[in-house]
Amino acid sequence: MLRWVRQQLGFDPPHQSDTRTIYIANRFPQHGHYVPQKFADNRIISSKYTVWNFVPKNLFEQFRRVANFYFLIIFLVQLMIDTPTSPITSGLPLFFVITVTAIKQGYEDWLRHKADNEVNGAPVYVVRSGGLVKTRSKNIRVGDIVRVAKDETFPVDLVLLSSDRVDGSCHVTTASLDGETNLKTHVAVPETAVLQSVANLDKLVAVIECQQPEADLYRFVGRITVSQQTEEIVRPLGPESLLLRGARLKNTKEIFGVAVYTGMETKMALNYKSKSQKRSAVEKSMNSFLIIYLIILLFEAILSTILKYAWQAEEKWDEPWYNEKTEHERNSSKILRFISDFLAFLVLYNFIIPISLYVTVEMQKFLGSFFIGWDLDLYHEETNQRAQVNTSDLNEELGQVEYVFTDKTGTLTENEMQFRECSINGIKYQEVNGKLTPEGFTEDSPDGNRHSLMKEEELFLKAVCLCHTVQINADQTDGADGPWHANGIASPLEYYASSPDEKALVEAASRVGVVFTGTSGDSMEVKSLGKSERYKLLHVLEFDPNRRRMSVIVESPSGEKLLFTKGAESSILPRSKSGEIDKTRIHVDEFALKGLRTLCVAYRRFTPEEYQEIGKRLHEARTALQQREERLADVFNFIERDLELLGATGVEDKLQEKVQETIEALRLAGIKVWVLTGDKHETAVSVSLSCGHFHRTMNILELVQHKSDSTCAEQLRQLAKRIKEDHVIQHGLVVDGTSLSLALREHEKLFMEVCKNCSAVLCCRMAPLQKAKVVRLLKTSPEKPITLAIGDGANDVSMIQEAHVGIGIMGKEGRQAVRNSDYAIARFKFLSKLLFVHGHLYYIRIATLVQYFFYKNVCFITPQFLYQFFCLFSQQTLYDSVYLTLYNICFTSLPVLIYSLFEQHVHPHVLQSKPVLYRDISKNAHLGFKPFLYWTILGFFHAFVFFYGSYLLMGEDTSLLGNGQMFGNWTFGTLVFTVMVITVTMKMALETHFWTWINHFVTWGSIVFYFIFSLFYGGIIWPFLHTQDMYFVFVQLLSSGSAWFAIILIVVACLFLDVVKKVLYRHLQPTSTEKVQLTEAGSGINCLDSMCCFSDGETACTSVRRMLERLMGRCSPTRVNRSWSSSDPFYANDRSILTLSTMDSPTC
């Protein structure tokens, strides 16, 4: 127990040595003083709290918020000293806020616990006592032998012992870990591969020594010592032997493996990057406003305290005859009395800080996030995917984006590759009707109708069919339904690959006559024009980002040893010594200019002596326990040289639908788009031009292929000079990865200056971490712009996590990007609706919510401050303590919450079709100092009108109650409070543009509730209250006609100037948004776009959705009008963007 506590506190780390020793099946040595190592159990914990620590941990986190901590201090002050208000006035709202937040966070954590329990309680089979035992995943221990069946996920990190195959190999997919969907091959060591039964495995005596857990998915160094009779056999273990938790077993009936890393020590758990808490600009503004209001509060408290003592300097006011001091009060310290009075005034005015603001904002964000998931315009029917919200804290940030960083492949494009062209031996070929045809030839040409392949063509296609990581679905049934046809022969093979490029190339080769028919043991079978050939696979030189190529060494049917290599032209052409290198380079550039993805293919023949040398070097590097990666890289470079170039391939990746319109809309909204891609320069530029990122009229500047700091700096200076000279035209910048590294190292400021003056920036040949660096560079620049990153693959995760807002595309490269994003959408085109409609509306709603909260609290507490001038600063309260407590919780909370959920100041269709409206809210325009000052001054003005209006009309010796009785303290305070509740509620009504029945219900219902509650509260003597100050006060107030007149007059006086100001500003200085509101008023738009008009093929939930919309008053299908006046100058410039909506006008 003590050790566990020490571990939790971080004093006693569980591992002290650099390696761990694992006895398979936990057969520990019986001799000597062996002390077993302690390992983590196999529980996965993603939850934040436990039953025991929820209350203290949650309270600690909540009281780190300034407002909560402040109210706690006020509450404690009220408990400790004699204050004018009851501790309940601060305690109850604080308790309410803390409780609601705790319930929300507790519920979210309960869902995480539920998910954890599902994983930890999953059934698994473990070899124990000579048989298979069924147990739960959480009970697996390090050293246990685990059985995993086909299509099951691995419950721990296992070292493979054996499979149902003789060679001990198995196939797994790691899509959930790294986004790669290909089938990866893992192999067991020969000594354990033969142990295919439980009985044989139970007799295995072996020890594994390996490194301690680390997060790198692709690194594992260890060795296994197998005891066979009298000898011990030592074999090295590498990543090819390790099966990772979260990966899935494919195309293999079953495997047995020994658990080496468990629970939170598995590589999957170590890769759980705790996402840094992203804070929105609105939240930062809120904290700034809170500090300003704290200063106002302190000023009022200090001023009141000073004035109290200034007033009491006169003897008659220091101790009047009706309030004589006690002996203790006369003798007490003046300093202590001053502090006590200051604290009492602090308590009296403390409601100027809106405690319920935080909880209302949290509820608004949490509930508001559901609208994104419910939006049918963000639903992708083909894949049946809705938009997904992973972080509701950033909803309003979607309305503040200034830079969009986007990946290219799978984000702007479909990531569906189609073979288009290739270059073989310096001749360009195209695929025509399942045949490889040289460029310029047609079916009618003399050689256009060939049925055979030339030697070079066949060798090229064989290289394509042998050098890859493609796997075949073994369950694919034979028959005439086969997906591809090779020379009239149906091929039923279905291919899987890590790279869509590889899959497209193998499929293309099969269509033109060279078919990869699968692997059998260490052999690869290829069928060339119907003739089957078997190649023995000797070595695979895996692809890595540094080499940018992959190779295989095979033995041909004739016994010849061949190396086939394919990769980026920058890594293949410099290593080629023969072949049509110059012609191929020209063809590769031509392919790239067409927007095709290019790969070069080469080969090399080995003499027996060369192969022997290579085999020896490879074995030494692969069995090394130290610096294995570096030694392998050296050997690979030694092997992949003196190549003979065979040719190049060009594969097309189609653009996604409406990408061009979306990028143009982003540009009209004032958002700069940067494309960050790993593709080569020419391909990236071509795609940028085709998708509208670069315009044909744009001046394209280049910063590429720089090897030194000096040349990079000189080029940057020249680019900056050119931009200044040609400042009239738009510029686009192209940067590659190597030049970017140099620019960021020494010339960051100059580079940023060039980038900011360019309308569009394209970064090619980018590594994943470079993407994140670029985003961080923009984030931390002096202007501090709001950034958004969007991508679909595991290589985009770092960029998505770095940006203020991260969006994952539900693409074909696994779910890694989606899981690490704040929001997920199915297609890039949905970004426009997400930003221009949801982002715009969320920002307007929460900006008004925050300002309104401060406004209504100024209205609330300023009359209390003014009242002190009339009661000798005696700290007498103006309002009853129940009213103090319920003002923010009940009387004024719902109208603003409902406003913040449903408000639409402009119709969504207009917001989406007029991207320029997005500029009106950029740079936190509605939460800047001017709007804040306006709302604060308005609050003080209204407060003065409430107080002095009531005082002038009713306060001076006016006996206007029904029974002739004069107004008293509580009657006057209740009058002020009544006027205030009605005014602040009506102010919210004035701000509302979009009325539903819910808005009507809560707005007018809040006022009615206040009257009913006050009548009920003041009409009964409540035995548990220590005073009955409010008994019959409200009834008497309402019985006076003068009081009713005063209420109406003061409310009108308050709101009249506000209405006049709005009218004047709208007509004299209208913003773009206000112009649209005026235009919209006469355009007949009365229902939400795509929510009331439905196509013939309605989804199952559409009818329910329609009913809800009608219930909420948001829809009137008979009044829909989407006609846009051609004479309207405001809409003329970007009419094409109207096509962004998934609904067409005729549908309505």
Side-chain angles (χ1 to χ4, degrees), residues 1087-1098:
C1087 85
L1088 281 176
D1089 180 48
S1090 302
M1091 292 190 181
C1092 313
C1093 313
F1094 300 92
S1095 56
D1096 297 333
E1098 291 185 341

Side-chain angles (χ1 to χ4, degrees), residues 886-946:
L886 298 183
Y887 175 75
N888 276 318
I889 295 176
C890 295
F891 300 145
T892 59
S893 59
L894 277 179
V896 67
L897 177 62
I898 296 302
Y899 167 92
S900 67
L901 290 174
F902 296 129
E903 171 63 0
Q904 293 173 19
H905 64 304
V906 177
H907 189 274
H909 185 79
V910 180
L911 284 176
Q912 191 172 357
S913 61
K914 307 291 143 232
V916 73
L917 298 180
Y918 195 80
R919 295 171 185 253
D920 280 0
I921 60 167
S922 62
K923 299 192 181 296
N924 207 11
H926 287 248
L927 274 176
F929 185 69
K930 281 186 180 178
F932 169 71
L933 198 63
Y934 164 72
W935 280 93
T936 303
I937 292 170
L938 186 70
F940 279 115
F941 167 70
H942 284 181
F944 273 80
V945 175
F946 300 155

